[in-house]
Amino acid sequence: MTDRTAVHQIALIPWLDPAAIIAAAGPWALLVVCFIVFAETGLLVGFLLPGDTLLIMAGLLSHPSDVAPNGVFGVSAWVVALLIGLSAFLGGEAGYLIGHKGGPAVFERKESGVFSRRNVERTNAFFERYGGLTIILARFVPIVRTFAPVAAGVGHMPWRRYTLYNFIGAVIWGFGLTMIGYAIGFIPFVGDFVAEYIDIILLAAVAGTIIFVVWHYFAERRKARADAAEGRAAIGAEEARSLTLDPQVLEHGDPETRSDRRD
């Protein structure tokens, strides 16, 4: 029996036993992951959250081990990936609905650590370059994946077209990255490490998520203060309307931008 196995079997305080913690937290851990994925595209504060790395980690944590026979979440990797993909899709639909119902007023806010004109302009630049395909590509671009659904809704991109792109993006990003993380676990030395230290990896994932959110929040706050110092502290009604994309851009991208790329 290894020292590590002995630690798992002999816990001074029963509720500190890694196996007990994982068994109790499994369903809740999956719920938290799904909520984070939903918030990434469904809520305007979602860009503060870690997306890509969290999905890879969720796939890794779905591998069985001594302390988690069915993986940390207690269900198969296929179920985990499907639920994450569904959360990504629903988040995208929620973001579109917010933009569609709220209109340009959604952009009419004061600069803050969770919302800025700069983030919307960056998203608009993606639409001007790639048109509707932005909804798919944005899944892999932090910040843009949060604001793209809202911008599409504000600009009244045809819902059926948007939903198709949203579905494709959710499958490739949500389901796909999770399964890639699971596949990585089959690499011999990676699989052995995950099986041996899955409880430590879980704690590291939680701590890493918290650190990422806090760091990103204060980084955005610094950017907001810099914008305020330049006199760009607020987005008025006229500016908000100017941030609304033309339906032609939402569908095909900006013609001038595309002709520039051909030249």
Side-chain angles (χ1 to χ4, degrees):
M1 179 183 297
T2 65
D3 292 339
R4 182 168 174 77
T5 303
V7 170
H8 283 310
Q9 292 184 349
I10 304 173
L12 294 178
I13 304 177
W15 53 267
L16 288 181
D17 178 19
I21 294 174
I22 290 174
W28 294 105
L30 181 56
L31 182 63
V32 170
V33 171
C34 288
F35 174 77
I36 289 176
V37 171
F38 173 88
E40 284 265 24
T41 49
L43 304 177
L44 285 171
V45 297
F47 70 91
L48 295 174
L49 302 169
D52 304 333
T53 54
L54 182 65
L55 300 189
I56 297 291
M57 191 65 68
L60 278 172
L61 292 174
S62 297
H63 274 272
S65 69
D66 291 340
V67 295
N70 298 311
V72 166
F73 304 114
V75 293
S76 75
W78 291 98
V79 174
V80 172
L82 284 171
L83 289 176
I84 288 176
L86 177 62
S87 299
F89 174 77
L90 293 177
E93 294 298 300
Y96 178 90
L97 185 62
I98 289 173
H100 186 75
K101 295 295 184 182
V106 172
F107 299 140
E108 193 178 339
R109 298 167 179 240
K110 292 184 177 181
E111 296 279 345
S112 69
V114 296
F115 190 95
S116 71
R117 180 189 181 110
R118 186 182 310 187
N119 292 335
V120 180
E121 289 174 339
R122 182 181 176 189
T123 302
N124 287 353
F126 264 79
F127 273 108
E128 289 171 359
R129 186 174 180 86
Y130 300 109
L133 289 178
T134 294
I135 302 302
I136 298 175
L137 300 176
R139 291 288 184 176
F140 300 90
V141 184
I143 294 179
V144 178
R145 68 169 155 254
T146 297
F147 288 93
V150 179
V154 172
H156 297 291
M157 181 178 183
W159 175 75
R160 289 184 179 179
R161 180 185 298 273
Y162 170 83
T163 297
L164 174 61
Y165 288 148
N166 181 39
F167 176 78
I168 295 172
V171 170
I172 296 174
W173 181 71
F175 180 86
L177 281 188
T178 304
M179 292 308 296
I180 287 174
Y182 182 68
I184 290 174
F186 286 103
I187 299 174
F189 70 90
V190 176
D192 293 341
F193 182 83
V194 172
E196 184 71 12
Y197 298 101
I198 196 166
D199 52 331
I200 295 176
I201 293 173
L202 176 60
L203 293 175
V206 173
T209 298
I210 294 173
I211 292 171
F212 179 92
V213 172
V214 172
W215 176 84
H216 203 176
Y217 174 79
F218 284 107
E220 289 297 321
R221 290 287 293 179
R222 285 194 297 271
K223 291 178 185 177
R225 285 197 294 269
D227 284 344
E230 296 173 5
R232 303 174 65 195
I235 300 177
E238 190 62 34
E239 288 178 297
R241 282 193 293 272
S242 73
L243 292 173
T244 301
L245 290 166
D246 185 273
Q248 195 75 10
V249 174
L250 290 168
E251 187 169 348
H252 303 295
D254 183 71
E256 294 183 7
T257 302
R258 289 186 284 116
S259 65
D260 290 344
R261 292 213 310 274
R262 286 197 297 270
D263 296 340

PDB file of all heavy atoms in Angstrom, residues 99 102-111 115-118 120-121 124 150-151 153-155 232 234-246:
ATOM      1  N   GLY A  99     -30.036  40.850 -25.936  1.00  0.00           N
ATOM      2  CA  GLY A  99     -29.783  41.887 -26.917  1.00  0.00           C
ATOM      3  C   GLY A  99     -31.016  42.228 -27.747  1.00  0.00           C
ATOM      4  O   GLY A  99     -31.288  43.401 -28.028  1.00  0.00           O
ATOM      5  N   GLY A 102     -33.520  44.005 -25.298  1.00  0.00           N
ATOM      6  CA  GLY A 102     -32.999  45.249 -24.732  1.00  0.00           C
ATOM      7  C   GLY A 102     -32.658  46.299 -25.762  1.00  0.00           C
ATOM      8  O   GLY A 102     -32.730  47.497 -25.481  1.00  0.00           O
ATOM      9  N   GLY A 103     -32.286  45.880 -26.985  1.00  0.00           N
ATOM     10  CA  GLY A 103     -31.916  46.823 -28.032  1.00  0.00           C
ATOM     11  C   GLY A 103     -30.641  47.582 -27.690  1.00  0.00           C
ATOM     12  O   GLY A 103     -29.876  47.184 -26.799  1.00  0.00           O
ATOM     13  N   PRO A 104     -30.388  48.682 -28.386  1.00  0.00           N
ATOM     14  CA  PRO A 104     -29.158  49.457 -28.150  1.00  0.00           C
ATOM     15  C   PRO A 104     -28.981  49.901 -26.706  1.00  0.00           C
ATOM     16  O   PRO A 104     -27.849  50.141 -26.267  1.00  0.00           O
ATOM     17  CB  PRO A 104     -29.346  50.669 -29.077  1.00  0.00           C
ATOM     18  CG  PRO A 104     -30.255  50.184 -30.151  1.00  0.00           C
ATOM     19  CD  PRO A 104     -31.207  49.231 -29.471  1.00  0.00           C
ATOM     20  N   ALA A 105     -30.079  49.985 -25.953  1.00  0.00           N
ATOM     21  CA  ALA A 105     -29.980  50.417 -24.555  1.00  0.00           C
ATOM     22  C   ALA A 105     -29.109  49.480 -23.734  1.00  0.00           C
ATOM     23  O   ALA A 105     -28.586  49.872 -22.677  1.00  0.00           O
ATOM     24  CB  ALA A 105     -31.379  50.508 -23.938  1.00  0.00           C
ATOM     25  N   VAL A 106     -28.928  48.237 -24.206  1.00  0.00           N
ATOM     26  CA  VAL A 106     -28.067  47.296 -23.496  1.00  0.00           C
ATOM     27  C   VAL A 106     -26.651  47.857 -23.403  1.00  0.00           C
ATOM     28  O   VAL A 106     -25.936  47.627 -22.423  1.00  0.00           O
ATOM     29  CB  VAL A 106     -28.051  45.934 -24.226  1.00  0.00           C
ATOM     30  CG1 VAL A 106     -27.008  45.007 -23.622  1.00  0.00           C
ATOM     31  CG2 VAL A 106     -29.420  45.283 -24.153  1.00  0.00           C
ATOM     32  N   PHE A 107     -26.227  48.597 -24.447  1.00  0.00           N
ATOM     33  CA  PHE A 107     -24.878  49.152 -24.463  1.00  0.00           C
ATOM     34  C   PHE A 107     -24.781  50.477 -23.708  1.00  0.00           C
ATOM     35  O   PHE A 107     -23.692  50.995 -23.514  1.00  0.00           O
ATOM     36  CB  PHE A 107     -24.424  49.393 -25.911  1.00  0.00           C
ATOM     37  CG  PHE A 107     -24.381  48.152 -26.743  1.00  0.00           C
ATOM     38  CD1 PHE A 107     -24.811  48.176 -28.070  1.00  0.00           C
ATOM     39  CD2 PHE A 107     -23.924  46.953 -26.228  1.00  0.00           C
ATOM     40  CE1 PHE A 107     -24.768  47.032 -28.852  1.00  0.00           C
ATOM     41  CE2 PHE A 107     -23.883  45.807 -26.987  1.00  0.00           C
ATOM     42  CZ  PHE A 107     -24.304  45.850 -28.304  1.00  0.00           C
ATOM     43  N   GLU A 108     -25.936  51.032 -23.321  1.00  0.00           N
ATOM     44  CA  GLU A 108     -25.960  52.357 -22.700  1.00  0.00           C
ATOM     45  C   GLU A 108     -25.668  52.240 -21.214  1.00  0.00           C
ATOM     46  O   GLU A 108     -26.551  52.293 -20.363  1.00  0.00           O
ATOM     47  CB  GLU A 108     -27.335  53.009 -22.932  1.00  0.00           C
ATOM     48  CG  GLU A 108     -27.379  54.494 -22.614  1.00  0.00           C
ATOM     49  CD  GLU A 108     -28.763  55.078 -22.927  1.00  0.00           C
ATOM     50  OE1 GLU A 108     -29.509  54.466 -23.721  1.00  0.00           O
ATOM     51  OE2 GLU A 108     -29.079  56.128 -22.343  1.00  0.00           O
ATOM     52  N   ARG A 109     -24.406  52.100 -20.897  1.00  0.00           N
ATOM     53  CA  ARG A 109     -23.992  51.914 -19.513  1.00  0.00           C
ATOM     54  C   ARG A 109     -22.748  52.729 -19.238  1.00  0.00           C
ATOM     55  O   ARG A 109     -22.039  53.144 -20.145  1.00  0.00           O
ATOM     56  CB  ARG A 109     -23.676  50.443 -19.225  1.00  0.00           C
ATOM     57  CG  ARG A 109     -24.860  49.515 -19.390  1.00  0.00           C
ATOM     58  CD  ARG A 109     -24.389  48.095 -19.400  1.00  0.00           C
ATOM     59  NE  ARG A 109     -25.551  47.200 -19.546  1.00  0.00           N
ATOM     60  CZ  ARG A 109     -25.883  46.284 -18.662  1.00  0.00           C
ATOM     61  NH1 ARG A 109     -25.176  46.113 -17.575  1.00  0.00           N
ATOM     62  NH2 ARG A 109     -26.936  45.524 -18.857  1.00  0.00           N
ATOM     63  N   LYS A 110     -22.483  52.885 -17.960  1.00  0.00           N
ATOM     64  CA  LYS A 110     -21.219  53.489 -17.579  1.00  0.00           C
ATOM     65  C   LYS A 110     -20.124  52.437 -17.665  1.00  0.00           C
ATOM     66  O   LYS A 110     -20.359  51.269 -17.434  1.00  0.00           O
ATOM     67  CB  LYS A 110     -21.291  54.052 -16.160  1.00  0.00           C
ATOM     68  CG  LYS A 110     -22.228  55.255 -16.031  1.00  0.00           C
ATOM     69  CD  LYS A 110     -22.183  55.810 -14.632  1.00  0.00           C
ATOM     70  CE  LYS A 110     -23.066  57.054 -14.521  1.00  0.00           C
ATOM     71  NZ  LYS A 110     -23.033  57.631 -13.167  1.00  0.00           N
ATOM     72  N   GLU A 111     -18.912  52.928 -17.996  1.00  0.00           N
ATOM     73  CA  GLU A 111     -17.777  52.009 -18.018  1.00  0.00           C
ATOM     74  C   GLU A 111     -17.594  51.408 -16.625  1.00  0.00           C
ATOM     75  O   GLU A 111     -17.740  52.077 -15.610  1.00  0.00           O
ATOM     76  CB  GLU A 111     -16.494  52.756 -18.416  1.00  0.00           C
ATOM     77  CG  GLU A 111     -16.530  53.310 -19.824  1.00  0.00           C
ATOM     78  CD  GLU A 111     -16.209  52.257 -20.860  1.00  0.00           C
ATOM     79  OE1 GLU A 111     -15.688  51.199 -20.488  1.00  0.00           O
ATOM     80  OE2 GLU A 111     -16.485  52.500 -22.039  1.00  0.00           O
ATOM     81  N   PHE A 115     -18.102  45.810 -17.916  1.00  0.00           N
ATOM     82  CA  PHE A 115     -18.717  46.221 -19.172  1.00  0.00           C
ATOM     83  C   PHE A 115     -18.001  47.463 -19.684  1.00  0.00           C
ATOM     84  O   PHE A 115     -17.787  48.405 -18.940  1.00  0.00           O
ATOM     85  CB  PHE A 115     -20.200  46.540 -18.962  1.00  0.00           C
ATOM     86  CG  PHE A 115     -20.956  46.740 -20.257  1.00  0.00           C
ATOM     87  CD1 PHE A 115     -21.653  45.691 -20.826  1.00  0.00           C
ATOM     88  CD2 PHE A 115     -20.949  47.959 -20.902  1.00  0.00           C
ATOM     89  CE1 PHE A 115     -22.347  45.861 -22.006  1.00  0.00           C
ATOM     90  CE2 PHE A 115     -21.641  48.139 -22.081  1.00  0.00           C
ATOM     91  CZ  PHE A 115     -22.346  47.092 -22.638  1.00  0.00           C
ATOM     92  N   SER A 116     -17.618  47.465 -20.947  1.00  0.00           N
ATOM     93  CA  SER A 116     -16.976  48.644 -21.505  1.00  0.00           C
ATOM     94  C   SER A 116     -17.212  48.725 -23.002  1.00  0.00           C
ATOM     95  O   SER A 116     -17.450  47.722 -23.676  1.00  0.00           O
ATOM     96  CB  SER A 116     -15.462  48.628 -21.228  1.00  0.00           C
ATOM     97  OG  SER A 116     -14.815  47.641 -22.008  1.00  0.00           O
ATOM     98  N   ARG A 117     -17.137  49.929 -23.521  1.00  0.00           N
ATOM     99  CA  ARG A 117     -17.290  50.155 -24.955  1.00  0.00           C
ATOM    100  C   ARG A 117     -16.221  49.393 -25.724  1.00  0.00           C
ATOM    101  O   ARG A 117     -16.472  48.861 -26.819  1.00  0.00           O
ATOM    102  CB  ARG A 117     -17.191  51.646 -25.244  1.00  0.00           C
ATOM    103  CG  ARG A 117     -17.332  51.984 -26.722  1.00  0.00           C
ATOM    104  CD  ARG A 117     -17.019  53.436 -27.016  1.00  0.00           C
ATOM    105  NE  ARG A 117     -17.197  53.706 -28.434  1.00  0.00           N
ATOM    106  CZ  ARG A 117     -18.168  54.451 -28.944  1.00  0.00           C
ATOM    107  NH1 ARG A 117     -19.075  54.976 -28.138  1.00  0.00           N
ATOM    108  NH2 ARG A 117     -18.255  54.644 -30.232  1.00  0.00           N
ATOM    109  N   ARG A 118     -15.029  49.318 -25.155  1.00  0.00           N
ATOM    110  CA  ARG A 118     -13.920  48.641 -25.816  1.00  0.00           C
ATOM    111  C   ARG A 118     -14.268  47.181 -26.130  1.00  0.00           C
ATOM    112  O   ARG A 118     -13.927  46.676 -27.197  1.00  0.00           O
ATOM    113  CB  ARG A 118     -12.666  48.715 -24.929  1.00  0.00           C
ATOM    114  CG  ARG A 118     -11.420  48.165 -25.566  1.00  0.00           C
ATOM    115  CD  ARG A 118     -10.243  48.234 -24.620  1.00  0.00           C
ATOM    116  NE  ARG A 118     -10.089  49.550 -24.025  1.00  0.00           N
ATOM    117  CZ  ARG A 118      -9.048  49.901 -23.270  1.00  0.00           C
ATOM    118  NH1 ARG A 118      -8.098  49.026 -23.016  1.00  0.00           N
ATOM    119  NH2 ARG A 118      -8.963  51.110 -22.761  1.00  0.00           N
ATOM    120  N   VAL A 120     -17.270  45.903 -26.624  1.00  0.00           N
ATOM    121  CA  VAL A 120     -18.270  45.855 -27.690  1.00  0.00           C
ATOM    122  C   VAL A 120     -17.614  46.151 -29.037  1.00  0.00           C
ATOM    123  O   VAL A 120     -17.910  45.502 -30.046  1.00  0.00           O
ATOM    124  CB  VAL A 120     -19.404  46.870 -27.418  1.00  0.00           C
ATOM    125  CG1 VAL A 120     -20.445  46.815 -28.534  1.00  0.00           C
ATOM    126  CG2 VAL A 120     -20.067  46.580 -26.081  1.00  0.00           C
ATOM    127  N   GLU A 121     -16.694  47.112 -29.066  1.00  0.00           N
ATOM    128  CA  GLU A 121     -16.016  47.449 -30.314  1.00  0.00           C
ATOM    129  C   GLU A 121     -15.186  46.277 -30.820  1.00  0.00           C
ATOM    130  O   GLU A 121     -15.104  46.038 -32.036  1.00  0.00           O
ATOM    131  CB  GLU A 121     -15.130  48.680 -30.099  1.00  0.00           C
ATOM    132  CG  GLU A 121     -15.928  49.969 -29.923  1.00  0.00           C
ATOM    133  CD  GLU A 121     -15.046  51.149 -29.562  1.00  0.00           C
ATOM    134  OE1 GLU A 121     -13.912  50.907 -29.068  1.00  0.00           O
ATOM    135  OE2 GLU A 121     -15.474  52.296 -29.779  1.00  0.00           O
ATOM    136  N   ASN A 124     -17.610  43.919 -32.401  1.00  0.00           N
ATOM    137  CA  ASN A 124     -18.067  44.437 -33.689  1.00  0.00           C
ATOM    138  C   ASN A 124     -17.016  44.226 -34.777  1.00  0.00           C
ATOM    139  O   ASN A 124     -17.355  43.949 -35.936  1.00  0.00           O
ATOM    140  CB  ASN A 124     -18.412  45.924 -33.568  1.00  0.00           C
ATOM    141  CG  ASN A 124     -19.696  46.162 -32.798  1.00  0.00           C
ATOM    142  OD1 ASN A 124     -20.401  45.211 -32.460  1.00  0.00           O
ATOM    143  ND2 ASN A 124     -20.006  47.413 -32.502  1.00  0.00           N
ATOM    144  N   VAL A 150     -25.075  38.982 -27.706  1.00  0.00           N
ATOM    145  CA  VAL A 150     -25.811  40.212 -27.393  1.00  0.00           C
ATOM    146  C   VAL A 150     -25.817  41.149 -28.595  1.00  0.00           C
ATOM    147  O   VAL A 150     -26.853  41.705 -28.971  1.00  0.00           O
ATOM    148  CB  VAL A 150     -25.193  40.906 -26.168  1.00  0.00           C
ATOM    149  CG1 VAL A 150     -25.950  42.206 -25.867  1.00  0.00           C
ATOM    150  CG2 VAL A 150     -25.232  39.986 -24.957  1.00  0.00           C
ATOM    151  N   ALA A 151     -24.643  41.311 -29.226  1.00  0.00           N
ATOM    152  CA  ALA A 151     -24.555  42.176 -30.400  1.00  0.00           C
ATOM    153  C   ALA A 151     -25.444  41.660 -31.529  1.00  0.00           C
ATOM    154  O   ALA A 151     -26.085  42.442 -32.239  1.00  0.00           O
ATOM    155  CB  ALA A 151     -23.098  42.266 -30.872  1.00  0.00           C
ATOM    156  N   GLY A 153     -28.199  39.952 -31.150  1.00  0.00           N
ATOM    157  CA  GLY A 153     -29.573  40.230 -30.761  1.00  0.00           C
ATOM    158  C   GLY A 153     -29.941  41.687 -30.943  1.00  0.00           C
ATOM    159  O   GLY A 153     -31.022  42.014 -31.446  1.00  0.00           O
ATOM    160  N   VAL A 154     -29.029  42.577 -30.546  1.00  0.00           N
ATOM    161  CA  VAL A 154     -29.290  44.020 -30.698  1.00  0.00           C
ATOM    162  C   VAL A 154     -29.460  44.371 -32.171  1.00  0.00           C
ATOM    163  O   VAL A 154     -30.325  45.165 -32.545  1.00  0.00           O
ATOM    164  CB  VAL A 154     -28.130  44.845 -30.083  1.00  0.00           C
ATOM    165  CG1 VAL A 154     -28.307  46.322 -30.423  1.00  0.00           C
ATOM    166  CG2 VAL A 154     -28.094  44.669 -28.570  1.00  0.00           C
ATOM    167  N   GLY A 155     -28.641  43.747 -33.035  1.00  0.00           N
ATOM    168  CA  GLY A 155     -28.727  44.027 -34.464  1.00  0.00           C
ATOM    169  C   GLY A 155     -29.811  43.252 -35.178  1.00  0.00           C
ATOM    170  O   GLY A 155     -29.950  43.355 -36.399  1.00  0.00           O
ATOM    171  N   ARG A 232     -13.731  58.714 -21.731  1.00  0.00           N
ATOM    172  CA  ARG A 232     -14.647  57.755 -22.356  1.00  0.00           C
ATOM    173  C   ARG A 232     -15.393  56.967 -21.281  1.00  0.00           C
ATOM    174  O   ARG A 232     -15.654  55.786 -21.431  1.00  0.00           O
ATOM    175  CB  ARG A 232     -13.865  56.795 -23.249  1.00  0.00           C
ATOM    176  CG  ARG A 232     -13.064  57.478 -24.312  1.00  0.00           C
ATOM    177  CD  ARG A 232     -12.203  56.467 -25.054  1.00  0.00           C
ATOM    178  NE  ARG A 232     -13.036  55.513 -25.781  1.00  0.00           N
ATOM    179  CZ  ARG A 232     -12.585  54.366 -26.267  1.00  0.00           C
ATOM    180  NH1 ARG A 232     -11.336  54.013 -26.076  1.00  0.00           N
ATOM    181  NH2 ARG A 232     -13.392  53.559 -26.918  1.00  0.00           N
ATOM    182  N   ALA A 234     -18.431  56.986 -20.146  1.00  0.00           N
ATOM    183  CA  ALA A 234     -19.836  56.574 -20.259  1.00  0.00           C
ATOM    184  C   ALA A 234     -20.232  56.360 -21.707  1.00  0.00           C
ATOM    185  O   ALA A 234     -19.637  56.934 -22.619  1.00  0.00           O
ATOM    186  CB  ALA A 234     -20.744  57.627 -19.614  1.00  0.00           C
ATOM    187  N   ILE A 235     -21.236  55.540 -21.899  1.00  0.00           N
ATOM    188  CA  ILE A 235     -21.797  55.307 -23.229  1.00  0.00           C
ATOM    189  C   ILE A 235     -23.198  55.893 -23.225  1.00  0.00           C
ATOM    190  O   ILE A 235     -24.083  55.404 -22.537  1.00  0.00           O
ATOM    191  CB  ILE A 235     -21.857  53.805 -23.562  1.00  0.00           C
ATOM    192  CG1 ILE A 235     -20.451  53.198 -23.537  1.00  0.00           C
ATOM    193  CG2 ILE A 235     -22.487  53.581 -24.927  1.00  0.00           C
ATOM    194  CD1 ILE A 235     -20.440  51.709 -23.783  1.00  0.00           C
ATOM    195  N   GLY A 236     -23.395  56.974 -23.987  1.00  0.00           N
ATOM    196  CA  GLY A 236     -24.700  57.606 -24.045  1.00  0.00           C
ATOM    197  C   GLY A 236     -25.609  56.926 -25.051  1.00  0.00           C
ATOM    198  O   GLY A 236     -25.220  55.982 -25.735  1.00  0.00           O
ATOM    199  N   ALA A 237     -26.837  57.457 -25.150  1.00  0.00           N
ATOM    200  CA  ALA A 237     -27.824  56.841 -26.036  1.00  0.00           C
ATOM    201  C   ALA A 237     -27.365  56.869 -27.488  1.00  0.00           C
ATOM    202  O   ALA A 237     -27.521  55.888 -28.224  1.00  0.00           O
ATOM    203  CB  ALA A 237     -29.167  57.565 -25.885  1.00  0.00           C
ATOM    204  N   GLU A 238     -26.795  58.006 -27.927  1.00  0.00           N
ATOM    205  CA  GLU A 238     -26.351  58.117 -29.309  1.00  0.00           C
ATOM    206  C   GLU A 238     -25.199  57.158 -29.593  1.00  0.00           C
ATOM    207  O   GLU A 238     -25.161  56.498 -30.637  1.00  0.00           O
ATOM    208  CB  GLU A 238     -25.913  59.563 -29.600  1.00  0.00           C
ATOM    209  CG  GLU A 238     -25.652  59.840 -31.074  1.00  0.00           C
ATOM    210  CD  GLU A 238     -26.899  59.660 -31.926  1.00  0.00           C
ATOM    211  OE1 GLU A 238     -27.999  59.954 -31.422  1.00  0.00           O
ATOM    212  OE2 GLU A 238     -26.759  59.212 -33.085  1.00  0.00           O
ATOM    213  N   GLU A 239     -24.253  57.086 -28.651  1.00  0.00           N
ATOM    214  CA  GLU A 239     -23.125  56.167 -28.817  1.00  0.00           C
ATOM    215  C   GLU A 239     -23.599  54.717 -28.817  1.00  0.00           C
ATOM    216  O   GLU A 239     -23.072  53.884 -29.564  1.00  0.00           O
ATOM    217  CB  GLU A 239     -22.108  56.383 -27.691  1.00  0.00           C
ATOM    218  CG  GLU A 239     -21.320  57.672 -27.802  1.00  0.00           C
ATOM    219  CD  GLU A 239     -20.366  57.826 -26.626  1.00  0.00           C
ATOM    220  OE1 GLU A 239     -20.858  57.919 -25.489  1.00  0.00           O
ATOM    221  OE2 GLU A 239     -19.145  57.848 -26.853  1.00  0.00           O
ATOM    222  N   ALA A 240     -24.587  54.419 -27.972  1.00  0.00           N
ATOM    223  CA  ALA A 240     -25.110  53.055 -27.914  1.00  0.00           C
ATOM    224  C   ALA A 240     -25.703  52.655 -29.256  1.00  0.00           C
ATOM    225  O   ALA A 240     -25.505  51.537 -29.731  1.00  0.00           O
ATOM    226  CB  ALA A 240     -26.156  52.939 -26.811  1.00  0.00           C
ATOM    227  N   ARG A 241     -26.433  53.585 -29.890  1.00  0.00           N
ATOM    228  CA  ARG A 241     -27.013  53.276 -31.197  1.00  0.00           C
ATOM    229  C   ARG A 241     -25.921  53.068 -32.241  1.00  0.00           C
ATOM    230  O   ARG A 241     -26.061  52.245 -33.155  1.00  0.00           O
ATOM    231  CB  ARG A 241     -27.963  54.396 -31.630  1.00  0.00           C
ATOM    232  CG  ARG A 241     -29.327  54.350 -30.938  1.00  0.00           C
ATOM    233  CD  ARG A 241     -30.325  55.263 -31.633  1.00  0.00           C
ATOM    234  NE  ARG A 241     -29.947  56.668 -31.484  1.00  0.00           N
ATOM    235  CZ  ARG A 241     -30.312  57.424 -30.453  1.00  0.00           C
ATOM    236  NH1 ARG A 241     -31.061  56.905 -29.483  1.00  0.00           N
ATOM    237  NH2 ARG A 241     -29.940  58.687 -30.385  1.00  0.00           N
ATOM    238  N   SER A 242     -24.821  53.808 -32.109  1.00  0.00           N
ATOM    239  CA  SER A 242     -23.733  53.679 -33.080  1.00  0.00           C
ATOM    240  C   SER A 242     -23.032  52.331 -32.976  1.00  0.00           C
ATOM    241  O   SER A 242     -22.351  51.901 -33.915  1.00  0.00           O
ATOM    242  CB  SER A 242     -22.708  54.803 -32.882  1.00  0.00           C
ATOM    243  OG  SER A 242     -21.936  54.602 -31.703  1.00  0.00           O
ATOM    244  N   LEU A 243     -23.175  51.662 -31.826  1.00  0.00           N
ATOM    245  CA  LEU A 243     -22.546  50.363 -31.629  1.00  0.00           C
ATOM    246  C   LEU A 243     -23.400  49.219 -32.180  1.00  0.00           C
ATOM    247  O   LEU A 243     -22.959  48.076 -32.199  1.00  0.00           O
ATOM    248  CB  LEU A 243     -22.284  50.127 -30.131  1.00  0.00           C
ATOM    249  CG  LEU A 243     -21.228  51.018 -29.481  1.00  0.00           C
ATOM    250  CD1 LEU A 243     -21.209  50.800 -27.971  1.00  0.00           C
ATOM    251  CD2 LEU A 243     -19.848  50.740 -30.066  1.00  0.00           C
ATOM    252  N   THR A 244     -24.622  49.553 -32.604  1.00  0.00           N
ATOM    253  CA  THR A 244     -25.507  48.528 -33.159  1.00  0.00           C
ATOM    254  C   THR A 244     -25.071  48.196 -34.583  1.00  0.00           C
ATOM    255  O   THR A 244     -24.924  49.084 -35.424  1.00  0.00           O
ATOM    256  CB  THR A 244     -26.963  49.022 -33.177  1.00  0.00           C
ATOM    257  OG1 THR A 244     -27.353  49.348 -31.846  1.00  0.00           O
ATOM    258  CG2 THR A 244     -27.884  47.946 -33.726  1.00  0.00           C
ATOM    259  N   LEU A 245     -24.880  46.921 -34.858  1.00  0.00           N
ATOM    260  CA  LEU A 245     -24.404  46.484 -36.169  1.00  0.00           C
ATOM    261  C   LEU A 245     -25.528  46.439 -37.189  1.00  0.00           C
ATOM    262  O   LEU A 245     -26.674  46.108 -36.863  1.00  0.00           O
ATOM    263  CB  LEU A 245     -23.762  45.110 -36.056  1.00  0.00           C
ATOM    264  CG  LEU A 245     -22.433  45.078 -35.305  1.00  0.00           C
ATOM    265  CD1 LEU A 245     -22.073  43.639 -34.955  1.00  0.00           C
ATOM    266  CD2 LEU A 245     -21.326  45.713 -36.118  1.00  0.00           C
ATOM    267  N   ASP A 246     -25.191  46.780 -38.422  1.00  0.00           N
ATOM    268  CA  ASP A 246     -26.137  46.683 -39.526  1.00  0.00           C
ATOM    269  C   ASP A 246     -26.423  45.209 -39.818  1.00  0.00           C
ATOM    270  O   ASP A 246     -25.512  44.383 -39.783  1.00  0.00           O
ATOM    271  CB  ASP A 246     -25.536  47.355 -40.768  1.00  0.00           C
ATOM    272  CG  ASP A 246     -26.528  47.402 -41.917  1.00  0.00           C
ATOM    273  OD1 ASP A 246     -26.575  46.412 -42.674  1.00  0.00           O
ATOM    274  OD2 ASP A 246     -27.244  48.410 -42.042  1.00  0.00           O
TER     275      ASP A 246
END
